[in-house]
Amino acid sequence: MENTETEKRPLDFIRQIIAGDLSSGKHEQSVTRFPPEPNGFLHIGHAKSICLNFGVAVENGGICNLRFDDTNPSKEDIAYVDSIKEDVKWLGFDWGKQVHYASDYFDKLYELAILLIKKNKAFVCELSPEQMREYRGTLTTPGKDSPYRNRSVAENLEMFEAMKKGDFAEGSHVLRAKIDMASPNLNLRDPIIYRILKATHHRTGDQWQIYPMYDYTHCLSDMLEGVTHSLCTLEFQDHRPLYNWVLETLETPCHPRQIEFSRLNLTYTVMSKRKLLQMVEGNYVSGWDDPRMLTLSGLRRRGYTPASIRNFCATIGIGKSDSRISMGVLENEIRSDLNVHAERRMCVLDPVKVIIDNYPDDLIEEVVGKNHPQNPDKGVRSLPFSKELYIERNDFMEEPPKKYHRLGPDREVRLRYGYLVQYVSHVKDESSGEILEIHCTYDPESKGGSAPDGRKVKGTIHWVSAAKGLPVTINMYDRLFKVEDPEADKDIDFLDQLNPDSQVVLSHAIAEPSLAEMKPGDNIQFERQGYFCLDTVAPTKDGKLVFNRTVTLRDSWEKRK
RNA sequence: UGGGGCGUCGCCAAGCGGUAAGGCACCGGGUUUUGAUCCCGGCAUUCGUAGGUUCGAUCCCUGCCGCCCCAGCCA
């Protein structure tokens, strides 16, 4: 008992509040919601919110609705709702019987707006956008009342009806809440709650000419769904008084509590949908699902697993301070998941030929490799071994430093699961300095890689048979930006800080033949290189399999150099 | 210069008046046919800062400093 208690991660402040409301009897069940606007793809920042909202439901036996906040038809699209549903499902969460839409509540919202007018708490305003800005005042000076603020209830009702019917031009009239133009909180200076938009909505078509604004819609949607805790990000803190005003003024039977937490930022990337859209539209990336994008679809294609993302969200926690998490934390989560689940294979990324002089010319032997070093249940596979092989170009050095324990003049190394080989000579192109081939002899007694006499061979390198190897293409992905915070300097366009080497295509890589059996999306570790997955969008190109590098292995050798 | 927030180890983050959890990173050491994994050990006399209250403060109060958000008919 005590052990499980102390080993558990302490509850974050939001879960503490919810646990308190449940134990005090304020609520019998928690109801949360994940409310994306269908105007872009979900990214890792949304995953934090999804894991929080759906996580709370799972942990407390509560409910979490998936609700599309679709109140702005000019920016939204059905394609986005489809991708969002797919991503939430992929992450491992279940929204139950139905998906909710703010647009489902348009009728109800309209009725409530009429009620607001009848309570003399809303009015139709004809100020132009420019005038509206002037009347709003500034951060330090109060605004002034709109000249239309004291229209009669009857006239407001009539004009709002006319707005709905489409009698007015877009931008000419709005419905405003009547609160306080002198409020130090700008959100309370008679905020607009309905505007005219002559756009076709992806669900309601041309049924409406007026659309409710976020502040008015969100709290009422929460209320209508019986949400108990409405969790959102910090920038909405100033909106909370308005959220509460609407519910109080309308005297709604249910009043959800809005609680804010800080949004996720990661080093070497940007998180706003607007900027991601900009990269997509400007062709800086191949699309929303480009493996370098921190969108869920990009991460999925990169080879990240749902569990790794859920674990990431759990380890960063929920708080209220502005933060920027190192990309290394995310990478660590996928490494630890894949270390356990991904089978191992060998693939030479940048090949250089090795010829084993004393090996029979036409012999091809089969050697046995473990699919996982720590998990025998993953089984074994056989690997063809032949006279000519490929090894990694950087696994040979003409003048190796002391600590380098790979191949070099007079050195012996182990070809993993193969044989121990001894360097004999090498051939190089004198003009370019490129190593053309390396000659070795093998110890026939060392099959499998063990030294018959127990001699110590420090280096073990991977290899692929030249005769049986499978040519593949590899996308080597790296961080998208050159700097930790691409948005830090306001004078520099974030697009100018893109990392030009974020994608390097290796078209001469050679993999062991068993890779031919892989299916798109399969995760694999190429020993000594990293984790890769067979691309899902274009698994083959020019007849060759295409692998995406998810993340490198930790490399303490590379680090000490 | 108005209002709303935030400030605990390099990065996150517990702590809720009784004398600084944990993770990542980092540094040592061990095992290892992946320089991977795994294992062991180290890593804040100090909680933005200055005062105050208290037997006792990271936790309460006050001032100061720093950072973030707000003037869309976006969400």
Side-chain angles (χ1 to χ4, degrees), chain A residues 235-258:
Chain A
E235 66 272 28
F236 291 102
Q237 286 175 124
D238 289 344
H239 295 244
R240 187 168 4 109
L242 179 50
Y243 184 105
N244 291 332
W245 182 91
V246 172
L247 297 178
E248 279 160 18
T249 306
L250 252 12
E251 300 174 272
T252 58
C254 145
H255 190 139
R257 197 224 287 206
Q258 173 178 308

Side-chain angles (χ1 to χ4, degrees), chain A residues 117 121-136 144-152 155-161 163 168-178 181 189-196 210:
Chain A
I117 293 172
K121 292 294 185 184
F123 65 100
V124 172
C125 184
E126 293 171 56
L127 250 24
S128 69
E130 301 72 47
Q131 291 172 313
M132 192 81 78
R133 203 175 310 127
E134 286 167 29
Y135 276 73
R136 186 157 35 224
K144 52 186 182 190
D145 287 358
S146 161
Y148 305 99
R149 199 176 201 261
N150 294 314
R151 266 195 230 273
S152 69
E155 191 183 0
N156 280 137
L157 252 13
E158 197 177 302
M159 295 193 73
F160 187 48
E161 170 72 14
M163 277 172 67
F168 303 129
E170 204 171 289
S172 64
H173 295 65
V174 293
L175 182 69
R176 293 225 258 168
K178 198 182 289 189
M181 288 308 289
R189 317 243 262 226
D190 291 3
I192 295 170
I193 57 178
Y194 265 93
R195 78 289 213 186
I196 298 169
I210 54 172

Side-chain angles (χ1 to χ4, degrees), chain A residues 368-379:
Chain A
V368 177
K370 292 178 187 168
N371 288 154
H372 191 107
Q374 278 85 236
N375 183 0
D377 293 345
K378 296 269 191 195

Side-chain angles (χ1 to χ4, degrees), chain A residues 5 19 32 54 143 164 228 276 302 312 317 324 343 376 409 477 508 531 540:
Chain A
E5 202 74 353
T32 49
F54 281 95
K164 184 195 181 207
T228 54
L276 295 178
R302 176 80 169 252
F312 169 74
R324 184 170 294 275
E343 291 194 1
Y477 292 117
H508 300 290
Y531 295 97
T540 62

Side-chain angles (χ1 to χ4, degrees), chain A residues 6-38:
Chain A
T6 51
E7 278 166 21
K8 220 188 285 178
R9 193 178 209 287
L11 295 182
D12 57 67
F13 81 100
I14 290 178
R15 278 182 245 250
Q16 283 181 35
I17 291 171
I18 294 174
D21 288 347
L22 255 21
S23 66
S24 74
K26 179 177 179 186
H27 299 298
E28 284 183 6
Q29 182 182 230
S30 70
V31 181
T32 49
R33 97 272 91 110
F34 172 60
E37 181 189 13

Side-chain angles (χ1 to χ4, degrees), chain A residues 156-220:
Chain A
N156 280 137
L157 252 13
E158 197 177 302
M159 295 193 73
F160 187 48
E161 170 72 14
M163 277 172 67
K164 184 195 181 207
K165 283 189 350 211
D167 293 350
F168 303 129
E170 204 171 289
S172 64
H173 295 65
V174 293
L175 182 69
R176 293 225 258 168
K178 198 182 289 189
I179 309 181
D180 177 11
M181 288 308 289
S183 172
N185 181 342
L186 297 266
N187 295 118
L188 262 21
R189 317 243 262 226
D190 291 3
I192 295 170
I193 57 178
Y194 265 93
R195 78 289 213 186
I196 298 169
L197 240 36
K198 312 251 179 184
T200 301
H201 188 280
H202 57 99
R203 294 189 74 242
T204 59
D206 297 319
Q207 189 187 335
W208 295 89
Q209 313 257 5
I210 54 172
Y211 290 90
M213 297 284 286
Y214 166 85
D215 285 307
Y216 176 73
T217 308
H218 205 90
C219 54
L220 291 173

